[in-house]
Amino acid sequence: GAVVSQHPSWVICKSGTSVKIECRSLDFQATTMFWYRQFPKQSLMLMATSNEGSKATYEQGVEKDKFLINHASLTLSTLTVTSAHPEDSSFYICSARIPTDTQYFGPGTRLTVL
Amino acid sequence: AQSVTQPDIHITVSEGASLELRCNYSYGATPYLFWYVQSPGQGLQLLLKYFSGDTLVQGIKGFEAEFKRSQSSFNLRKPSVHWSDAAEYFCAVGGGGADGLTFGKGTHLIIQP
């Protein structure tokens, strides 16, 4: 149980385009999902907290107009990187929280912006 | 502000030997503590967690961790490592609820035959 999927697993896009990443909780409902970013050989940094039916809460320094988050249902949150640039290339990981306060993580999405 | 320190970037252990990975945290309230493992190309897998109660917690794959409030530590241990344990290990702290997690920088575990 507590499986989280992400799609796509990797994506390559041109600079200036937008990319959408989906995060789904497959076997449970998640009122809260989180988005993290991981640079190569580094730790995960929390970007934002996504609550179903409400606006996401962004961490300091994360541009909310660049990283659009939508949590339309209890099993789906999306992260859209708008007008992507090479510096946005990274590994994006989502997690979903179960009621016992444990977060289960998706496999991540590798974004490369050319 | 909350923080997690994993002082060892790399650790090399012989197969069959015991393992201890260190984790120190800073958190203003009662912490929720986690250990996750990340293998190449894989997502983060939860090894174990501590919320309250018994300070020695058992996890999957033979791992255990001990919460020591006086030392602000939550070290991960395994009595005998296997080659398949080679991976990146992350310690994380949070407050529960809608709090995201703060991760340490990770410890890369290398297993020698």
Side-chain angles (χ1 to χ4, degrees):
Chain A
V3 178
V4 178
S5 70
Q6 278 185 245
H7 178 79
S9 55
W10 58 271
V11 57
I12 301 173
C13 69
K14 292 182 179 180
S15 186
T17 62
S18 295
V19 174
K20 179 185 283 189
I21 302 169
E22 292 187 349
C23 176
R24 293 182 185 274
S25 56
L26 298 184
D27 52 1
F28 65 101
Q29 294 183 330
T31 54
T32 306
M33 291 183 170
F34 303 88
W35 287 95
Y36 295 83
R37 184 172 179 176
Q38 184 179 30
F39 290 101
K41 299 188 184 300
Q42 293 191 31
S43 187
L44 285 78
M45 300 295 293
L46 179 65
M47 299 176 63
T49 302
S50 169
N51 292 297
E52 186 266 340
S54 63
K55 290 184 178 181
T57 303
Y58 292 82
E59 295 299 300
Q60 191 172 10
V62 177
E63 301 176 59
K64 60 181 181 181
D65 294 331
K66 179 166 200 52
F67 299 100
L68 301 179
I69 291 172
N70 184 273
H71 194 155
S73 77
L74 288 173
T75 59
L76 174 63
S77 176
T78 60
L79 168 68
T80 301
V81 184
T82 62
S83 186
H85 291 282
E87 58 267 29
D88 298 323
S89 297
S90 191
F91 195 52
Y92 293 88
I93 305 174
C94 73
S95 71
R97 171 184 163 268
I98 63 174
T100 58
D101 290 330
T102 299
Q103 292 184 30
Y104 289 89
F105 286 80
T109 297
R110 175 78 58 195
L111 170 64
T112 301
V113 184
L114 303 176
Chain B
Q2 59 205 52
S3 65
V4 176
T5 301
Q6 292 181 247
D8 303 306
I9 298 174
H10 299 277
I11 281 188
T12 301
V13 179
S14 297
E15 190 169 15
S18 63
L19 170 71
E20 182 169 30
L21 302 182
R22 295 183 290 167
C23 172
N24 291 95
Y25 68 90
S26 174
Y27 195 77
T30 302
Y32 286 29
L33 293 158
F34 305 83
W35 275 99
Y36 288 90
V37 60
Q38 185 180 40
S39 300
Q42 304 288 322
L44 275 79
Q45 182 181 21
L46 177 69
L47 288 176
L48 47 75
K49 62 188 177 186
Y50 172 79
F51 290 173
S52 64
D54 192 349
T55 56
L56 184 63
V57 292
Q58 302 297 320
I60 63 170
K61 303 185 178 185
F63 286 94
E64 67 176 26
E66 186 171 12
F67 170 60
K68 293 185 177 180
R69 185 185 298 275
S70 61
Q71 298 178 19
S72 297
S73 70
F74 189 55
N75 294 348
L76 182 71
R77 300 194 293 250
K78 185 169 184 177
S80 176
V81 297
H82 187 262
W83 63 266
S84 60
D85 293 324
E88 193 80 20
Y89 290 79
F90 291 97
C91 180
V93 67
D99 281 357
L101 297 180
T102 297
F103 283 82
K105 292 185 181 297
T107 297
H108 184 64
L109 176 63
I110 300 167
I111 306 297
Q112 280 185 337

